[in-house]
Amino acid sequence: MITPEDIERLIRPELKAMKAYTPIEPTDILSQHIDIPQEKVIKLDGNENPYGCSAMVKQALADCAHYHLYPDPEQRELRKALEEYTGISSKYILAGSGSDELIDLVLRLFIEPGDSVIDCPPTFGMYTFSTDVCGGKVVSIPRKQDFSIAVAAIKEAINRQTKVIFIASPNNPSGNITSKQTILELLNSSIVVVIDEAYFEFSGVTVAPLVSKYSNLIVLRTFSKWAGLAGLRVGYGIFPINMVKYLMKIKQPYNVNTAAQVAALESLKDMSYLRGTINAIIDERDRMLTKLSQLDWLRVYPSQSNFILCSVLNGKAKTIHKGLQNKGIFVRYFDTPQLKDCLRISVGKPEHTDALIAALNEIC
Ligand SMILES: Cc1ncc(COP(=O)(O)O)c(C=O)c1O
């Protein structure tokens, strides 16, 4: 009889060796960790939208009569609505189960074992994760001290194995954007350039209109952040038309479930509410930045996103992270070569910022 050890031997060795992604925990689990009621938890670790989704989304989800049927595999209604939202023809658009799925699909389309993918750390961890799962190799070209990307080093690193580069703009966790000029320089190379605009609605800066002019440019977006739909998993990409054809072919047929499609469609119908929450988050980001900058033991980085990166100058980031946790405030802690003693704090409601600042003053 085959044993668990035999099965272990069948598993791809590179997957055994790969580093697991560190996801964030849901509020109920966080509240159990610290024995604080769930409703008291202040969750500033996932760049989620503290105002939640539109009330119209909740109503449409309650009213939907089609959960027993498979969703439209071609996502026609959603892609048409996205055409209106983006101003780009639906022929260029494909939706995914979160932009995470689209990152994975792009890599599955281009990466064979031995191929390489460039990322620019510190950045979003899913680029490495999905490259590893596809059997590709990640070539990391670290960002400069101001978190801008090192274009000359990237160009030098490109060789025949290089297929794809990922640039998050705004970047997670640094919050800065990459200029159109820099992206144009990268587009002149022979590789696929993925600009991940997960936080576009908070920066207002996009290169999406360039997709129809460059056959190697992809722009990824999500409903997780601005629309408050992180739990429903819906993102989309703007791709050169010939890539849409192949992505449509290799994706799971019903990759965006009915609830996600209904919620995304309804969000796009309630832009006045959602623009209000985006503006509230942007205003609060600027207020939080001012408040955090008043703490002389923090270095605060400007952000065009819905989170703020801070480096803790007294070396106590871990203690502060833990101290905040004990008070029910969850933020993201980093201690990597590029992010020594750093905290990334999502922008919440004004009362969350006030609680955060009070807690930081008490801890330090
Ligand atoms: C830069 C970036 N891209 C993509 C994602 C994933 O978004 P989604 O929820 O659509 O999978 C995130 C989530 O934190 C992110 O920070």
Side-chain angles (χ1 to χ4, degrees):
M1 204 176 86
I2 193 159
T3 65
E5 289 73 29
D6 295 328
I7 296 295
E8 279 284 317
R9 276 191 289 277
L10 294 179
I11 291 171
R12 287 163 52 195
E14 69 274 19
L15 293 192
K16 282 192 186 175
M18 81 175 253
K19 208 166 152 254
Y21 183 73
T22 318
I24 46 166
E25 299 274 27
T27 335
D28 54 336
I29 304 294
L30 295 178
S31 93
Q32 284 165 23
H33 285 332
I34 50 165
D35 207 17
I36 284 180
Q38 203 176 322
E39 58 286 0
K40 291 245 164 82
V41 167
I42 299 180
K43 195 171 182 305
L44 305 177
D45 60 352
N47 305 336
E48 292 138 325
N49 188 323
Y51 296 98
C53 65
S54 147
M56 280 172 55
V57 166
K58 291 180 193 163
Q59 191 57 54
L61 287 173
D63 292 346
C64 174
H66 302 117
Y67 294 128
H68 61 300
L69 302 175
Y70 288 104
D72 175 10
E74 290 186 34
Q75 316 150 349
R76 278 162 275 221
E77 207 184 340
L78 177 56
R79 289 167 62 222
K80 204 71 203 155
L82 284 167
E83 170 175 310
E84 217 167 287
Y85 178 62
T86 60
I88 293 164
S89 162
S90 63
K91 286 186 291 191
Y92 294 86
I93 297 173
L94 185 77
S97 173
S99 45
D100 281 351
E101 190 203 14
L102 296 168
I103 293 167
D104 179 64
L105 271 179
V106 166
L107 290 167
R108 288 208 271 150
L109 189 60
F110 291 107
I111 300 303
E112 294 179 272
D115 288 341
S116 61
V117 172
I118 295 181
D119 82 341
C120 301
T123 194
F124 185 47
M126 286 302 284
Y127 311 140
T128 303
F129 170 84
S130 291
T131 304
D132 286 349
V133 173
C134 287
K137 184 172 145 242
V138 177
V139 174
S140 287
I141 308 294
R143 287 170 179 259
K144 299 181 194 166
Q145 276 220 308
D146 63 356
F147 296 119
S148 61
I149 63 168
V151 183
I154 290 172
K155 283 185 173 166
E156 227 166 89
I158 294 174
N159 60 29
R160 270 196 294 164
Q161 275 73 50
T162 319
K163 295 276 182 74
V164 181
I165 179 168
F166 283 95
I167 310 282
S169 179
N171 185 43
N172 173 8
S174 54
N176 61 313
I177 58 159
T178 295
S179 72
K180 181 173 164 187
Q181 202 46 47
T182 304
I183 292 167
L184 285 172
E185 268 192 68
L186 294 174
L187 286 170
N188 282 330
S189 66
S190 55
I191 62 171
V192 174
V193 178
V194 183
I195 305 300
D196 182 346
E197 295 184 355
Y199 302 96
F200 156 68
E201 280 75 7
F202 305 107
S203 73
V205 179
T206 181
V207 289
L210 295 181
V211 175
S212 59
K213 300 187 184 79
Y214 288 86
S215 50
N216 58 340
L217 174 63
I218 295 173
V219 171
L220 299 182
R221 303 258 187 91
T222 180
F223 281 77
S224 294
K225 315 297 177 179
W226 66 280
L229 297 184
L232 282 175
R233 315 302 300 126
V234 50
Y236 63 99
I238 302 162
F239 304 91
I241 292 178
N242 62 332
M243 280 189 212
V244 173
K245 182 177 77 186
Y246 291 112
L247 290 165
M248 199 58 105
K249 189 168 161 183
I250 68 166
K251 78 175 180 64
Q252 296 277 337
Y254 311 110
N255 63 327
V256 184
N257 70 61
T258 300
Q261 294 201 34
V262 165
L265 275 166
E266 217 54 31
S267 301
L268 294 171
K269 289 181 199 155
D270 198 9
M271 286 310 298
S272 60
Y273 165 77
L274 288 168
R275 289 225 185 281
T277 61
I278 293 166
N279 289 337
I281 291 168
I282 292 173
D283 288 350
E284 192 52 27
R285 172 189 73 201
D286 297 344
R287 190 178 81 94
M288 184 163 119
L289 194 112
T290 308
K291 293 252 169 212
L292 290 170
S293 304
Q294 286 160 359
L295 303 174
D296 58 9
W297 44 271
L298 274 187
R299 172 161 184 214
V300 184
Y301 295 93
S303 169
Q304 303 212 46
S305 198
N306 67 341
F307 52 83
I308 293 177
L309 181 71
C310 310
S311 69
V312 180
L313 303 176
N314 59 13
K316 289 194 200 155
K318 199 170 182 181
T319 315
I320 294 166
H321 179 243
K322 188 90 191 114
L324 287 173
Q325 229 175 64
N326 291 339
K327 290 175 184 289
I329 302 174
F330 290 84
V331 303
R332 193 89 193 234
Y333 164 64
F334 296 100
D335 195 26
T336 61
Q338 276 114 26
L339 291 176
K340 272 241 136 301
D341 277 315
C342 282
L343 300 174
R344 188 200 67 196
I345 310 174
S346 307
V347 178
K349 294 180 176 174
E351 58 266 36
H352 300 151
T353 308
D354 294 341
L356 169 82
I357 300 294
L360 287 173
N361 278 320
E362 270 174 43
I363 296 164
C364 267

